[in-house]
Amino acid sequence: MGTLSFIVVDDHPVFREGLVRLIGDRFEADVFEAGTMAELEQQLQQAASPDLLLLDVVFPGFEPLRDLPTLRHRLPMTAIITVSMVEDHSLIDAIMAEGVNGFITKSSPPEQMITAIEQVIEGDIVECRPALDLSSDNPQPNQLALLSPRQREVLEHICAGRSNKEIARELGVSPYTVRIHVSALLRTLGVRTRTSAATLATKSGIKAPS
Amino acid sequence: MGTLSFIVVDDHPVFREGLVRLIGDRFEADVFEAGTMAELEQQLQQAASPDLLLLDVVFPGFEPLRDLPTLRHRLPMTAIITVSMVEDHSLIDAIMAEGVNGFITKSSPPEQMITAIEQVIEGDIVECRPALDLSSDNPQPNQLALLSPRQREVLEHICAGRSNKEIARELGVSPYTVRIHVSALLRTLGVRTRTSAATLATKSGIKAPS
DNA sequence: GCCGCACTAGGGCGGATGTACTAGGTCATG
DNA sequence: CATGACCTAGTACATCCGCCCTAGTGCGGC
């Protein structure tokens, strides 16, 4: 194949340059860089349909579970590999479910990253999960992705420490209804208290409520 | 000055190599690398008293607030710069209070990192705080560092979602006592519910209870 | 159309939470 | 030695939480 077109997106310049250099050493490719959603948009003007998108899971202007579907839809011919230091298997599951071609942890050795990129370019789906499973205490798949939009909304308010009554006022519904959502999301997440749910959601990088 | 001796410690190989390359381009120095506490020990056999230690705040085998004092004591002549993607100002405060010579966020541009390293080598204390202050909703300084050991211990259990009664059983004290600790730490953290405290502590990267 | 699901609303109940108060012990610091 | 901090233990009280139950609406799929 000829010269490839890669875009590397990460908001940590040193890590990004490490990746770019790594790729430059091994692939015959034009490599573009972006550190924010705005810069990614710019690069997509240059390279409308890159061969590979190496994407940090979180960077300014980007929420994976919110923006990945759009991105996936916009770049149907592009191999998307998410790169993250997140070690929450449920979040990784949710990301893989969005149809990306691969997931690599930032703690992976360079050789493993190269191998993963090669495999993805050849059409494989690759998952490099973190070796040490810190989240072995939550065997459930998907977690936050399993919640309904309303439940996720309520969960965000729980993380902000609001009471059911406050959440009810905020959402313009009855406290009884909030209670239903809370009970449901607790059951879905497999925890017994709102505090557990808050910790779990915060670890998974839930966004703060408006 | 002659050839310097640097040790770069970070468990993300790509980021670490980015740093090493960055340093190699700008300084006349022997650069050693480590990705774990064990590897750091090995490198300290080679270079017993390096001129500069670039230290990721969290990596396998290392807890900053636990291990930084020891490290600082062992390497009195070494300039220590902590590098982290943590954006919690209270944690940064706590780290600076351990007597390190500098703090840099991983999202800093390379040029800023070089400048900071140069300044630290010349004897300055440097702090590159994250530009976008995500924790602007907690104006209090230090936060977790303000808590007593017992309060922090209780807070860890709160993050695990345990009830006061469970925490009491775990710590071998009365539930009434646990309640006192909870009330006190809530007041200190400036929040009204244990759930808020859990979110705050989790964002600050509190460790899980044993 | 009927089924399943999400969202809405409510009653009742046992237990958990958080605050205010008092009060005893240890330990370091001045 | 006195002061203050931290940890301990308890009572009383109001509130909140989370579960149980029923029940209505709307929406998309088989």
Side-chain angles (χ1 to χ4, degrees), chain A residues 7-37:
Chain A
I7 300 182
V8 177
V9 192
D10 195 301
D11 58 336
H12 298 146
V14 173
F15 185 86
R16 191 173 68 231
E17 283 187 30
L19 265 183
V20 168
R21 171 157 292 279
L22 189 63
I23 293 170
D25 287 349
R26 301 301 196 92
F27 296 93
E28 189 183 334
D30 294 326
V31 184
F32 304 91
E33 298 183 43
T36 63
M37 195 62 186

Side-chain angles (χ1 to χ4, degrees), chain B residues 51-64:
Chain B
D51 298 294
L52 178 70
L53 188 61
L54 269 177
L55 196 69
D56 191 14
V57 167
V58 284
F59 56 90
F62 185 83
E63 274 285 334

Side-chain angles (χ1 to χ4, degrees), chain B residues 9-10 15 19 54-58 81-86 102-106 113:
Chain B
V9 191
D10 195 301
F15 184 87
L19 265 182
L54 269 177
L55 196 69
D56 191 14
V57 167
V58 284
I81 300 181
T82 49
V83 185
S84 167
M85 87 233 113
V86 174
F103 178 92
I104 311 176
T105 58
K106 284 193 176 176
M113 289 196 182

Side-chain angles (χ1 to χ4, degrees), chain A residues 10-12 15 19 56-58 83-86 103-109 113 128, chain B residues 10-15 85:
Chain A
D10 195 301
D11 58 336
H12 298 146
F15 185 86
L19 265 183
D56 192 13
V57 167
V58 284
V83 184
S84 168
M85 88 233 111
V86 174
F103 177 92
I104 311 177
T105 58
K106 284 192 176 178
S107 51
S108 303
M113 290 195 182
C128 295
Chain B
D10 195 301
D11 58 335
H12 298 148
V14 174
F15 184 87
M85 87 233 113

Side-chain angles (χ1 to χ4, degrees), chain B residues 146 148-151 172-174 176-177 179-181:
Chain B
L146 286 176
S148 73
R150 200 54 155 176
Q151 286 169 3
V173 299
S174 155
Y176 304 115
T177 304
R179 208 167 35 172
I180 295 294
H181 291 312

Side-chain angles (χ1 to χ4, degrees), chain B residues 58-120:
Chain B
V58 284
F59 56 90
F62 185 83
E63 274 285 334
L65 298 182
R66 183 193 65 190
D67 301 323
L68 257 183
T70 318
L71 204 59
R72 174 75 288 181
H73 185 72
R74 274 181 60 184
L75 305 171
M77 300 305 292
T78 299
I80 300 180
I81 300 181
T82 49
V83 185
S84 167
M85 87 233 113
V86 174
E87 307 208 337
D88 180 344
H89 282 216
S90 59
L91 182 57
I92 299 175
D93 286 332
I95 287 169
M96 291 306 292
E98 296 296 349
V100 302
N101 303 77
F103 178 92
I104 311 176
T105 58
K106 284 193 176 176
S107 50
S108 303
E111 199 48 53
Q112 193 177 353
M113 289 196 182
I114 292 295
T115 307
I117 293 172
E118 285 170 347
Q119 288 179 312
V120 166

Side-chain angles (χ1 to χ4, degrees), chain A residues 7 12 35 43 47 49 61 68 80 103 118 131 143 150 164 168 174:
Chain A
I7 300 182
H12 298 146
Q43 298 296 9
S49 181
L68 257 182
I80 299 180
F103 177 92
E118 285 171 346
Q143 304 266 70
R150 200 54 156 175
N164 289 346
S174 156

